[in-house]
Amino acid sequence: FFFSRMASAAYDMRLATGFAASMGPHMQHQAQMPTSQVEQPKECRFSPYQNNGGTCLAIAGKDFCIVAADSRLSMGYSILSRTTPKVAQLTTKCCIASSGCQADMITLQKFLKFRMQMYTHQHGKEMQTTAIGQLLATTLYNRRFFPYYTFNVVGGLDDKGEGIVYSYDAVGCFEKMKYTVSGTGQALIEPFLDNMVAYKNTDKKPLGERSLEETLELVKDIFSSAGERDIYTGDFVDINIITKDGTKYEQFPLKKD
């Protein structure tokens, strides 16, 4: 059996040599081409995430909070929609704004609204903003192995009636702040907020806090500036103004190109 296998292998080698000799020089060169020069199989990758752009912002004051986001929905260099809201009202004193993947944003905000209804039916009152901040962190951390591709900001009034803002990453790490911004315009707006709201790196600090009207004008100026430099921020700004009397909605137009 061993000798028959050896004879068969020798016959196959002679046959291959004769076949190569019968080909022309050009064909022989292709037949002898090393494996490294042959086109390798290509791996087709699929990503379940898509960053649809947008910018979200929240600023807390002494007795108010402003949560705002633009309404442009993008994919690459294409504008899919100019009137897609990113801000959702969870209670009369709390709102959430999300940027990132539109599908995950809708799913997350729908889940939070469902939890708000459950809490209201069980306890007969609305959930406080501090509890909502912790709920969102737990929800995001629960999905840490396949996270929601959203970058969220939560703003509202606490139990003392003071403005409060929470900033999150994609897996639920959050921080209580006086202002925050997320999305594609974050790198443009964050230094501006550091200077104009926190008064960092400046000697001209005001004696009192900025009023609601001044903060609202600041938010409009910020989005106007970001819309000039970020192609994923534009069209309209949806502004939710949260005070002790409830939430007031206002829309501000931006450039549409």
Side-chain angles (χ1 to χ4, degrees):
F1 176 75
F2 174 75
F3 289 105
S4 63
R5 293 293 299 273
M6 292 290 292
S8 177
Y11 176 76
D12 293 339
M13 184 174 295
R14 291 195 302 271
L15 183 61
T17 304
F19 176 73
S22 64
M23 295 188 301
H26 179 67
M27 298 296 292
Q28 289 183 11
H29 175 71
Q30 290 184 353
Q32 298 173 1
M33 187 169 55
T35 309
S36 60
Q37 298 181 12
V38 179
E39 184 178 1
Q40 299 297 319
K42 296 181 179 179
E43 179 182 4
C44 296
R45 295 181 177 271
F46 168 74
S47 175
Y49 296 123
Q50 173 72 44
N51 190 350
N52 297 117
T55 303
C56 303
L57 177 147
I59 301 177
K62 184 177 181 180
D63 56 354
F64 66 90
C65 183
I66 296 179
V67 181
D70 74 300
S71 61
R72 177 173 292 182
L73 178 65
S74 306
M75 185 175 65
Y77 293 104
S78 301
I79 298 176
L80 304 181
S81 175
R82 299 183 184 274
T83 57
T84 300
K86 299 180 178 67
V87 183
Q89 184 174 349
L90 300 178
T91 65
T92 57
K93 297 183 179 180
C94 181
C95 291
I96 179 175
S98 307
S99 63
C101 182
Q102 174 72 5
D104 286 353
M105 183 195 74
I106 294 175
T107 304
L108 177 61
Q109 292 184 356
K110 186 183 296 184
F111 174 78
L112 292 176
K113 290 180 180 179
F114 170 71
R115 292 298 301 268
M116 297 300 105
Q117 291 182 352
M118 286 182 57
Y119 186 91
T120 302
H121 293 326
Q122 291 177 0
H123 301 277
K125 62 179 181 179
E126 290 183 338
M127 185 181 293
Q128 294 183 357
T129 305
T130 52
I132 295 175
Q134 183 62 54
L135 173 64
L136 178 57
T138 305
T139 303
L140 295 174
Y141 186 74
N142 187 48
R143 284 286 301 269
R144 63 191 179 278
F145 297 115
F146 189 26
Y148 292 111
Y149 189 42
T150 58
F151 303 94
N152 308 277
V153 297
V154 171
L157 302 181
D158 59 10
D159 54 350
K160 298 180 181 179
E162 298 178 356
I164 186 173
V165 168
Y166 291 105
S167 177
Y168 296 82
D169 66 0
V171 293
C173 180
F174 72 111
E175 182 181 2
K176 178 182 175 182
M177 308 178 71
K178 297 296 290 184
Y179 64 91
T180 185
V181 60
S182 67
T184 54
Q186 179 180 10
L188 300 172
I189 298 177
E190 192 79 46
F192 192 75
L193 291 175
D194 289 340
N195 183 264
M196 297 300 296
V197 179
Y199 301 105
K200 297 180 180 179
N201 302 320
T202 180
D203 296 331
K204 298 180 180 180
K205 297 183 179 180
L207 300 178
E209 293 189 13
R210 185 178 277 107
S211 65
L212 173 60
E213 291 74 17
E214 293 174 342
T215 306
L216 183 60
E217 291 300 321
L218 177 64
V219 169
K220 294 178 180 179
D221 290 342
I222 287 173
F223 273 97
S224 297
S225 300
E228 294 288 340
R229 295 164 178 82
D230 180 24
I231 63 173
Y232 301 111
T233 302
D235 297 316
F236 298 96
V237 181
D238 298 316
I239 305 174
N240 286 53
I241 306 169
I242 306 170
T243 62
K244 62 180 181 179
D245 299 325
T247 301
K248 176 184 175 183
Y249 172 76
E250 184 176 331
Q251 190 176 70
F252 178 71
L254 297 176
K255 62 181 297 185
K256 295 179 174 57
D257 57 352

